[in-house]
Amino acid sequence: PKTNVVFLKVHKSASSTVMNILFRFGETHNLTFAFPVGGGNQFFYPQHFLAKFVRGFSPRSPRQFNILCHHMRFLQPEVEKVVSSSAVYFSILRNPVQLMESSFVYYKGTSAFSRARSLEEFLSEPYQYYNPAHGDSHYARNLMTFDFGFNPDAEVSAERVQLMLKAIEASFDLLLISEYFDESMVLLKEMLCWDLDSVIFFPLNSRDSSTKSPIPDSIVEKIKDWNRLDWEIYTHFNRTFWERINRDIGRERMQREVKALRERQAELARICLQGMGSVAPKDIKDSSLRPLQHGNAKILGYNLKQGLDKETEHMCRRLVTPELQYSSALYKKQFAPMRP
């Protein structure tokens, strides 16, 4: 199994669920995580990543960390200072249409979105609301492009798009697609030589459907135009994702692998969860399992079954622990004060 991993956690793209997988694997195998200085869950985002943002990094005696997975704005030469040269790099993408709808709800308080009553209103005259000079403007346009380290306001020329795609291909070994999350987990498992249970997941940080609204066709094209760079990234890597499946795994074996994944997931849901699925934040009984609520989104969570034996309870709890709680527990464990 590969133990040196860099995950670029792209915003609002099922990346919290991927992070839980990395947290569990790292904890099980006693790996070291690159944590932001001072804890927290991002590397001084939205600045470009710098090695000095990692707690315990020193240029005089650079030490290598196994897993780098907290939010950052990607800058490869700096990332390379804190991980092994053998590290596997991967990230995840989401259809920019859904990504924008999700961002609008989740980041409603940002300068670009706060005054617009609806996404339609924002898109009808974006420059009335959007000012690229504002420090939080990246949430409102080409968010994936921004997270990968590029300029979200750049003009869209064929040449620029090609350079950007080539740069991403040169840096990353695999790009997952959140709309095909199960297939993505199979590809990830293959690439990292992990077993099935290492990539099993319960969706985390997902929104209650009451805060989701269907996107009218009239604004789908506007979203694509406004996020043209993201759209180019997504369509390109969605295509290469399926090419890779056809080349490395084949559709038939992929179907079998996905079936096995879903069956194991259903089995774990029966073992671990009350009522089999996620619940609204107000219905989560154990406050330590309540996810952070943000913007206008209602973030769902889980209730564990009562009376599980210790080992099962531990396994189940790790599957449903929200990102911030899990991250801070691992941080405390990794930086526990030395006993005299």
Side-chain angles (χ1 to χ4, degrees):
K2 296 194 165 61
T3 52
N4 294 312
V5 177
V6 173
F7 172 52
L8 176 63
K9 186 174 187 289
V10 170
H11 287 78
K12 313 300 335 129
S13 304
S15 53
S16 296
T17 307
V18 178
M19 203 168 181
N20 177 273
I21 287 168
L22 296 174
F23 282 167
R24 286 180 355 239
F25 187 87
E27 186 181 21
T28 303
H29 296 85
N30 226 354
L31 303 177
T32 57
F33 290 88
F35 281 106
V37 168
N41 63 329
Q42 30 195 24
F43 289 104
F44 297 86
Y45 186 88
Q47 296 180 54
H48 275 102
F49 178 84
L50 295 174
K52 69 176 185 191
F53 295 162
V54 176
R55 172 155 183 195
F57 172 78
S58 139
R60 288 184 302 286
S61 55
R63 81 178 259 227
Q64 291 177 341
F65 298 85
N66 298 116
I67 298 179
L68 174 61
C69 62
H70 286 72
H71 274 307
M72 62 172 158
R73 188 172 184 205
F74 189 65
L75 188 60
Q76 190 163 4
E78 289 291 316
V79 170
E80 285 171 346
K81 293 176 185 176
V82 298
V83 295
S84 152
S85 57
S86 68
V88 176
Y89 287 69
F90 76 102
S91 186
I92 187 163
L93 303 172
R94 183 180 185 187
N95 185 317
V97 176
Q98 277 71 41
L99 179 69
M100 175 120 204
E101 187 273 333
S102 177
S103 297
F104 185 80
V105 174
Y106 203 80
Y107 300 116
K108 191 70 184 82
T110 58
S111 58
F113 290 152
S114 59
R115 298 192 332 274
R117 279 180 305 226
S118 66
L119 188 52
E120 278 176 85
E121 188 177 290
F122 174 85
L123 288 159
S124 63
E125 288 182 84
Y127 283 107
Q128 268 207 334
Y129 306 100
Y130 176 81
N131 178 349
H134 285 157
D136 59 3
S137 66
H138 56 280
Y139 290 118
R141 187 179 201 188
N142 289 316
L143 181 51
M144 294 191 288
T145 302
F146 183 87
D147 285 351
F148 277 94
F150 304 104
N151 175 5
D153 292 294
E155 44 127 16
V156 186
S157 63
E159 186 186 13
R160 178 183 288 274
V161 167
Q162 277 316 305
L163 284 170
M164 189 171 68
L165 296 176
K166 284 205 160 58
I168 295 172
E169 275 176 341
S171 300
F172 288 86
D173 300 290
L174 175 64
L175 287 154
L176 309 175
I177 302 288
S178 65
E179 283 77 16
Y180 304 104
F181 198 84
D182 295 351
E183 291 83 355
S184 292
M185 290 305 101
V186 173
L187 279 181
L188 185 64
K189 167 175 89 75
E190 295 285 304
M191 180 179 73
L192 297 174
C193 306
W194 290 5
D195 62 7
L196 180 65
D197 269 13
S198 295
V199 297
I200 290 291
F201 62 92
F202 294 150
L204 294 175
N205 208 26
S206 48
R207 256 191 312 155
D208 183 14
S209 54
S210 71
T211 60
K212 294 180 185 171
S213 42
I215 303 166
D217 293 345
S218 58
I219 70 165
V220 167
E221 289 312 313
K222 284 183 178 170
I223 294 177
K224 288 181 193 174
D225 281 343
W226 177 247
N227 297 283
R228 180 56 59 188
L229 293 169
D230 272 10
W231 184 249
E232 296 286 349
I233 291 175
Y234 179 78
T235 48
H236 175 80
F237 288 108
N238 187 20
R239 195 179 68 245
T240 58
F241 177 86
W242 291 101
E243 286 168 0
R244 182 170 185 150
I245 288 174
N246 292 335
R247 185 186 72 229
D248 296 351
I249 294 189
R251 294 284 173 115
E252 278 181 28
R253 186 176 146 223
M254 177 54 89
Q255 277 179 327
R256 288 199 303 274
E257 293 268 357
V258 165
K259 187 167 175 276
L261 178 83
R262 288 175 183 164
E263 283 169 0
R264 178 65 178 139
Q265 205 169 0
E267 183 188 356
L268 284 172
R270 280 194 298 275
I271 293 169
C272 295
L273 303 180
Q274 285 180 30
M276 295 295 287
S278 51
V279 296
K282 64 177 178 23
D283 298 323
I284 301 168
K285 300 183 182 99
D286 179 343
S287 60
S288 71
L289 295 179
R290 200 168 290 144
L292 174 77
Q293 302 299 315
H294 199 83
N296 287 353
K298 274 202 189 101
I299 307 299
L300 303 170
Y302 297 91
N303 285 318
L304 292 179
K305 277 190 176 159
Q306 300 294 302
L308 298 170
D309 67 76
K310 206 170 163 189
E311 200 179 326
T312 309
E313 207 267 350
H314 179 64
M315 172 197 70
C316 293
R317 179 170 288 275
R318 291 163 71 206
L319 275 162
V320 301
T321 298
E323 172 190 328
L324 299 184
Q325 287 93 310
Y326 206 153
S327 179
S328 100
L330 290 172
Y331 181 85
K332 284 185 190 125
K333 191 169 153 186
Q334 188 164 307
F335 298 107
M338 290 298 182
R339 297 232 157 74

